[in-house]
Amino acid sequence: MSEMPALPELVGLVLLDGIAEPRDPVRQIAAAERIAGELSTLGESLVGFFVEMARAEGCSWTDIGAPRGLSRQGAQQRYAPLMAQLTIDDLIRTGVLDRFDDGALGCLRHAQGRAQRLGHDAVDSGDLLLAVLDDPAGLAGDVIRALGADPAEVRAALGQGADDDGPAAADGLARPAIGPDVRRAIDGAVTEAHGHGVAVGHLFLGLLRAPGSRAGQALTAYGITRQAALAQVLGLAGRTTGDQA
């Protein structure tokens, strides 16, 4: 195992933080607290990463919690907030998104880029819905129109402005984490795929599994529910289903 930063190294970071200004011992305390917070957050993200990896490999919350004396619910409550600190790239590395096709991954990256450009700490469901609506295949827009709504009005309900259509990347800005509503949409999309590859349509349905989220509220305000959208998605895909869950 590589060595962890020693105290003298961390002290040096604090001293360097204000090297261009007269020494201020009170300000140095604030700098030390900031660095300590960053280390704590990094450690939590490390744990979250390996919990995500275990989940991707089929471990249940019961499997994860039992060695730690935690119930299934206790393990989920303890570790879910740590998992929410991960980015799209982190989820790719853990294997969580292995079944996502290029279109679905592109939507997730597009949503991340939008949140990044806007300086947000996390990608929320509104960012993801806008990315799904921007998908070149246009499935979400077709579904919304088929249900008697206008995709432009849904965009407006999410507060998308004319300056929101910039590039997907933002140099010099930290990549935002995956917000809890987006994480639920990802899990919902996997469920919707029933063991098959996850496509953009599954992400759209995954968003509708959380009607209380920002995206869910924007859609349900126009009468777009998961059941109604599911029928349209399957119709557009040219197949029938017995799934009415």
Side-chain angles (χ1 to χ4, degrees):
M1 178 183 295
S2 59
E3 292 185 5
M4 300 292 289
L7 181 59
E9 295 176 74
L10 298 176
V11 169
L13 290 176
V14 173
L15 295 175
L16 286 172
D17 184 75
I19 196 169
E21 304 171 3
R23 180 176 175 274
D24 181 343
V26 175
R27 189 198 56 76
Q28 287 179 331
I29 293 173
E33 288 177 332
R34 176 180 56 77
I35 292 172
E38 290 173 356
L39 290 172
S40 176
T41 299
L42 183 61
E44 291 175 350
S45 296
L46 176 66
V47 175
F49 181 94
F50 283 97
V51 172
E52 281 282 19
M53 185 177 290
R55 294 280 293 158
E57 293 177 6
C59 296
S60 68
W61 285 116
T62 300
D63 296 332
I64 293 168
R68 295 157 183 82
L70 298 171
S71 65
R72 177 192 62 79
Q73 184 178 11
Q76 189 170 10
Q77 289 175 341
R78 176 172 175 178
Y79 293 116
L82 308 187
M83 296 159 66
Q85 298 178 17
L86 303 179
T87 66
I88 293 294
D89 290 333
D90 293 330
L91 292 186
I92 291 172
R93 285 191 287 269
T94 64
V96 167
L97 304 180
D98 281 354
R99 291 182 178 175
F100 282 59
D101 68 14
D102 289 343
L105 285 174
C107 283
L108 290 170
R109 290 193 182 281
H110 185 44
Q112 176 181 258
R114 182 178 187 278
Q116 186 179 14
R117 284 185 293 102
L118 295 174
H120 296 166
D121 293 332
V123 184
D124 80 357
S125 62
D127 297 317
L128 182 55
L129 177 54
L130 289 170
V132 168
L133 288 170
D134 286 341
D135 178 59
L139 181 143
D142 290 343
V143 168
I144 291 171
R145 280 186 287 268
L147 294 175
D150 184 346
E153 292 182 355
V154 175
R155 288 179 181 275
L158 291 168
Q160 183 182 34
D163 60 343
D164 286 344
D165 294 323
D171 293 338
L173 295 176
R175 285 179 177 163
I178 297 300
D181 286 340
V182 173
R183 190 65 186 81
R184 283 190 285 272
I186 288 172
D187 289 340
V190 173
T191 301
E192 295 287 353
H194 299 288
H196 300 290
V198 178
V200 176
H202 299 122
L203 276 177
F204 184 54
L205 294 172
L207 286 166
L208 282 165
R209 282 177 169 258
S213 68
R214 190 161 76 99
Q217 290 176 355
L219 291 165
T220 56
Y222 291 94
I224 303 163
T225 65
R226 175 190 172 267
Q227 290 286 19
L230 176 61
Q232 292 296 327
V233 168
L234 293 172
L236 289 169
R239 56 189 177 89
T240 60
T241 180
D243 170 41
Q244 297 298 324

